[in-house]
Amino acid sequence: MPDTSAILAHLTATQDETQGLEHGIKADEWERLVTRLGRKPNLVELGIYSVMWSEHCSYKSSRRHLSKFPTKNARVIQGPGENAGVIDIGDGQAAIFKMESHNHPSYIEPYQGAATGVGGILRDVFTMGARPIALVNALRFGDPGHPKTRSLVQGVVAGIGGYGNCVGVPTVAGETQFDAGYNGNILVNAMAVGLADQDKIFYARGATPGNPIFYVGSKTGRDGIHGATMASAEFSEGDEEKRPTVQVGDPFTEKLLIEACLELMATDAIQAIQDMGAAGLTSSSVEMAASGGENGEGIGVVMDLDKVPQREDGMTAYEIMLSESQERMLMVLYPDKIDMAKAIFDKYDLSAEVIGETTDTGHLVLKQFGKVVCDIPVAPLAEDAPNYDRPWIEPPKRAPLDISKFPEPDDFGEVLLKLMSCPDMASKRWIWEQYDRHVMNDTVDSSQSMGNAAIVRIHGTNKALAICSDCNPHYVAADPYVGGKQAVAEAYRNLSSVGATPIAITDNLNFGNPEKPATMGYIVKAIEGMAEACRVLDFPVVSGNVSLYNETDGVAIPPTPVVGGVGLIEDIGKIATLKGAQPGDVLILIGEAKGHMGASLYAREWLGLKGEALGAPPPVDLKTEIQNAAFVRQLIHDGLASAVHDISDGGIACAAAEMALACGTGVKFTLQSGTSGPQELFGEDQARYLVAMNRDALDDLGARATKAGITCFAFAHFEGEALSGITSDGHKVDLPLSTLRKAHEDWLPAYMNTVD
């Protein structure tokens, strides 16, 4: 037996400002805490404040700016504020989805960091009553030449695949980029999508006093303690020593937890439910209490920590409350449903115990060994948490890139080969082949192999969801307002490219230290750019995550606001992918070619430019995005498009190359676009698509385009086994597909098979 008197004496001793600083509570926050509490906290209370007031849990630096996002449209059922966002997909069904980060843990312990990131985002979805049907990931690693990059790639990919494959949910979409800016702080953003009936959606809110609090899932251990606090601080060299703060995941237990929770949700036993994610039992109990009551006015909670299932001896209240052990849920049940609930969880061999009850006191009260070890009001932990108006500096504007100052390449085919084989554009087959993309048997098309968006059938119907993940950090670094707009617009394009109607987004805003005005400027302007795009495109934010303090030794990551988009396909027979083009099909460019090269792949990889020298990013015209996307969707729905690809990194040339590789047929082109030189092939103007169609449909296309005011022209056709043609100013390209495929496919396997 532990020495309970010593433990209680340690926990009940009051703490001072020095201990507050050690817990990430700064001097002004300490004063706020003591004022709200009316006394100094003990160690348990200080630990609870430290995690609930951490950046990761309270969004104290970003909350006032996140309010700029539009969060509603005709299809939104639940926007931000719950475990995940919910949208109406018709026929009484809902799609539920969210994206979250697990950046710091994945850098310290890549396998478990990435694996538990997947497990956590799955719980956010099924805690709302949804069966998960798809996983997505957005990964950013350091320079391939950095000594840690290869092992981080190996561990993160293995962790994502190991958890997702074992839990039986397909990983269907994602993106992977490399940049020296992530050398000391990689990004691992995980997204999950689930399906539920609209009348069977569960929320964290709504608990009323006098009901039992039910703990279910794995037992609580000492792993992950202060994980939320770690995620709210900068890194320094040697932070691998923080390994004990990384959680350990068990996908097989998660699978049992999914099935047990969904079985219980089929009854009328649950009043409120919350997964134990960041800050574990603390955040789940506080969030349910803060949003409880018939009118959301908040309630109280009392818990006996001796009743919490524990897998280690002698755990203190501090450790129990701050543990981030995985595969755990907290529920408020109706009193007469306890035995039924226990029977269900016993069947799945999962711990299930009543550990407390809801009250009308508005306080969080914790007992251990028969003594009260915590008694604090809930309100200051939640809505009364710090909400900073951080000072910020407008990011500097970059001058446009003057491409005429650089000599034209002698061989445009050589340029294309270099771009298609560079780390960002090279095939990620080595990664996505480690993921089970087709488990559950509803994946129609995954986006990993150069696709625009994944397509996942809604089981038992003729409908499907389209899902994508997008962000170009180079654009955001060049101009966060325009780059933020572009991230949303690209997700909109990717969904439209497969024939889906874009509905809503989730986001993961990855930035450095918000206490630095320059960094805060990028956060503010990126949010404002994203918000404008969401408003104009009617593409609201329904969930998301903010991950700040992503920097090491004072050096921040590139600003990376990732957008996860979800759209609806009403008829699975009316879709387009990259693979559908046939020999003889004509390739159409939709959208204006102006040859914008600022912040482009060409400027980075061929010219070797960095930082300010890259110039300004391409402008984003949102009205044109709407017009062109609607036109492309209609072509797909009317059966006129055999294949579609949006144009992004690398311009027309890289988009055409990806289509040729996907369908296995060469492309022969003759360009007369109004631009010239490398701008014509590699310019990254926005709101553009490549559409393959049968030659017989050209007359119909022309009439439609004229009526809609769309700029489009046929410039190529599918033929042979090479990507070949001539540009407006006479530059010739003749690149065998076999050469292109080898360069595109070989880089990552060769890199990962290299022994340092």
Side-chain angles (χ1 to χ4, degrees):
M1 283 289 294
D3 183 348
T4 58
S5 61
I7 290 175
L8 289 173
H10 177 58
L11 296 178
T12 55
T14 57
Q15 306 297 292
D16 59 24
E17 187 173 336
T18 300
Q19 278 79 37
L21 289 171
E22 291 173 355
H23 280 73
I25 299 287
K26 298 184 179 179
D28 60 326
E29 294 174 343
W30 175 261
E31 292 301 320
R32 183 188 188 98
L33 187 164
V34 173
T35 300
R36 298 293 191 277
L37 193 55
R39 58 177 171 81
K40 292 181 180 180
N42 66 31
L43 182 60
V44 178
E45 294 165 341
L46 178 59
I48 289 170
Y49 270 101
S50 75
V51 293
M52 291 307 299
W53 283 13
S54 70
E55 192 72 54
H56 191 78
C57 291
S58 73
Y59 297 157
K60 58 190 175 186
S61 298
S62 59
R63 211 153 74 232
R64 64 184 56 227
H65 298 289
L66 296 176
S67 65
K68 299 172 184 176
F69 283 136
T71 59
K72 298 178 181 179
N73 67 11
R75 286 189 177 269
V76 172
I77 295 173
Q78 173 65 53
E82 272 289 340
N83 288 292
V86 185
I87 58 172
D88 180 354
I89 57 172
D91 303 311
Q93 295 178 303
I96 299 178
F97 58 97
K98 189 180 183 183
M99 180 180 281
E100 280 202 341
S101 61
H102 231 222
N103 302 335
H104 286 183
S106 298
Y107 183 80
I108 293 172
E109 215 310 312
Y111 184 94
Q112 288 296 349
T116 52
V118 173
I121 199 63
L122 284 170
R123 288 193 297 281
D124 277 333
V125 165
F126 75 75
T127 193
M128 298 194 71
R131 177 169 293 280
I133 62 165
L135 288 165
V136 178
N137 56 74
L139 312 177
R140 266 81 187 178
F141 297 104
D143 188 297
H146 190 274
K148 290 185 179 179
T149 299
R150 188 179 290 106
S151 64
L152 289 169
V153 174
Q154 181 82 50
V156 165
V157 172
I160 291 170
Y163 204 101
N165 296 353
C166 291
V167 82
V169 179
T171 300
V172 299
E175 51 181 343
T176 303
Q177 294 178 325
F178 295 83
D179 187 273
Y182 304 105
N183 281 351
N185 197 128
I186 64 173
L187 301 185
V188 176
N189 296 172
M191 175 178 171
V193 183
L195 289 177
D197 292 334
Q198 291 181 24
D199 60 353
K200 294 285 178 61
I201 296 171
F202 290 80
Y203 298 96
R205 64 178 185 264
T208 55
N211 291 304
I213 297 172
F214 200 53
Y215 171 117
V216 302
S218 294
K219 294 181 178 180
T220 295
R222 290 188 170 94
D223 52 320
I225 292 174
H226 268 302
T229 308
M230 178 188 70
S232 305
E234 299 175 28
F235 266 170
S236 297
E237 283 298 324
D239 273 3
E240 291 84 349
E241 296 173 3
K242 292 182 178 177
R243 195 178 301 270
T245 60
V246 178
Q247 310 93 326
V248 177
D250 180 353
F252 299 105
T253 298
E254 181 102 336
K255 175 61 174 172
L256 296 174
L257 190 60
I258 292 172
E259 299 306 326
C261 286
L262 292 179
E263 184 171 333
L264 184 60
M265 287 168 170
T267 72
D268 57 355
I270 300 173
Q271 188 179 47
I273 181 169
Q274 176 77 43
D275 79 300
M276 292 192 221
L281 190 53
T282 290
S283 63
S284 55
S285 57
V286 169
E287 287 168 8
M288 283 204 297
S291 61
E294 293 181 358
N295 300 308
E297 69 276 11
I299 58 171
V301 164
V302 59
M303 294 190 292
D304 184 348
L305 300 186
D306 295 334
K307 295 181 179 179
V308 173
Q310 299 164 49
R311 67 167 181 261
E312 299 184 46
D313 293 333
M315 291 190 70
T316 66
Y318 180 94
E319 292 170 326
I320 293 169
M321 291 304 293
L322 270 61
S323 168
E324 293 185 6
S325 294
Q326 298 292 285
E327 292 85 40
R328 300 179 302 158
M329 310 285 279
L330 200 66
M331 305 176 181
V332 175
L333 300 182
Y334 294 103
D336 60 341
K337 304 297 183 182
I338 294 173
D339 291 342
M340 178 183 66
K342 278 193 172 186
I344 289 173
F345 284 94
D346 284 347
K347 182 173 70 173
Y348 289 96
D349 198 24
L350 294 170
S351 296
E353 298 292 340
V354 174
I355 64 170
E357 67 176 358
T358 54
T359 69
D360 60 3
T361 66
H363 276 234
L364 172 68
V365 178
L366 305 176
K367 299 178 181 178
Q368 189 181 35
F369 310 133
K371 302 285 188 179
V372 174
V373 295
C374 168
D375 186 349
I376 52 180
V378 169
L381 294 171
E383 70 268 14
D384 196 28
N387 185 355
Y388 294 122
D389 187 5
R390 301 277 192 199
W392 58 278
I393 298 171
E394 184 92 23
K397 295 291 185 183
R398 290 186 186 175
L401 175 63
D402 185 355
I403 200 70
S404 67
K405 292 182 178 179
F406 301 91
E408 284 194 359
D410 295 328
D411 185 347
F412 282 17
E414 184 183 350
V415 177
L416 178 58
L417 205 60
K418 181 174 179 61
L419 299 190
M420 290 293 289
S421 61
C422 75
D424 277 3
M425 284 294 288
S427 169
K428 305 305 185 295
R429 182 184 299 275
W430 183 90
I431 294 175
W432 52 258
E433 282 191 340
Q434 297 184 50
Y435 305 150
D436 191 334
R437 308 178 310 284
H438 296 286
V439 65
M440 301 178 76
N441 204 34
D442 281 316
T443 305
V444 177
D445 193 51
S446 62
S447 77
Q448 290 107 328
S449 56
M450 304 179 296
N452 302 302
I455 302 171
V456 180
R457 186 192 306 271
I458 298 169
H459 193 75
T461 76
N462 202 37
K463 301 187 300 183
L465 295 178
I467 309 162
C468 66
S469 171
D470 292 289
C471 179
N472 188 325
H474 305 285
Y475 289 176
V476 185
D479 185 326
Y481 188 84
V482 174
K485 279 205 298 185
Q486 193 275 340
V488 175
E490 186 169 355
Y492 190 85
R493 283 199 303 273
N494 277 326
L495 298 176
S496 297
S497 294
V498 299
T501 301
I503 294 178
I505 70 169
T506 183
D507 61 46
N508 207 138
L509 309 180
N510 305 274
F511 292 91
N513 185 345
E515 297 169 50
K516 297 178 179 179
T519 298
M520 195 65 209
Y522 279 88
I523 296 170
V524 171
K525 298 310 292 184
I527 288 174
E528 289 178 355
M530 294 172 69
E532 182 191 353
C534 290
R535 275 193 302 272
V536 176
L537 300 176
D538 192 25
F539 200 30
V541 177
V542 296
S543 61
N545 173 243
V546 176
S547 176
L548 306 182
Y549 295 94
N550 288 291
E551 52 184 83
T552 300
D553 293 330
V555 179
I557 60 162
T560 314
V562 177
V563 172
V566 175
L568 178 64
I569 296 170
E570 299 276 5
D571 183 349
I572 198 68
K574 296 177 180 179
I575 61 172
T577 69
L578 266 65
K579 306 169 188 174
Q582 301 294 318
D585 278 357
V586 179
L587 192 58
I588 313 296
L589 172 63
I590 292 178
E592 289 191 72
K594 297 180 180 178
H596 194 99
M597 299 294 275
S600 67
L601 187 69
Y602 178 90
R604 301 195 310 270
E605 295 292 335
W606 185 258
L607 299 181
L609 302 180
K610 296 180 180 180
E612 289 186 15
L614 282 167
V620 179
D621 184 323
L622 296 170
K623 290 184 178 179
T624 303
E625 293 282 1
I626 294 172
Q627 175 181 277
N628 290 1
F631 187 74
V632 168
R633 290 197 301 270
Q634 197 60 54
L635 291 178
I636 295 170
H637 296 167
D638 292 345
L640 297 179
S642 54
V644 177
H645 197 7
D646 81 305
I647 298 174
S648 55
D649 288 2
I652 294 171
C654 287
E658 289 181 328
M659 293 183 81
L661 291 174
C663 69
T665 301
V667 170
K668 190 172 178 113
F669 66 86
T670 302
L671 277 169
Q672 292 181 339
S673 66
T675 57
S676 60
Q679 302 98 300
E680 186 171 47
L681 282 175
F682 306 110
E684 296 183 7
D685 306 298
Q686 300 296 289
R688 296 192 301 163
Y689 303 79
L690 294 184
V691 177
M693 60 173 51
N694 189 285
R695 192 175 297 273
D696 294 341
L698 285 181
D699 288 343
D700 189 8
L701 173 71
R704 287 169 178 251
T706 300
K707 183 177 180 180
I710 298 289
T711 300
C712 69
F713 64 89
F715 73 99
H717 64 276
F718 288 85
E719 172 191 294
E721 298 179 355
L723 196 150
S724 61
I726 187 167
T727 67
S728 295
D729 52 358
H731 285 279
K732 293 183 179 179
V733 175
D734 192 1
L735 190 60
L737 278 192
S738 57
T739 303
L740 185 61
R741 190 181 301 279
K742 180 173 174 56
H744 183 62
E745 294 281 354
D746 283 1
W747 179 80
L748 188 53
Y751 172 69
M752 293 307 299
N753 290 332
T754 299
V755 178
D756 291 323

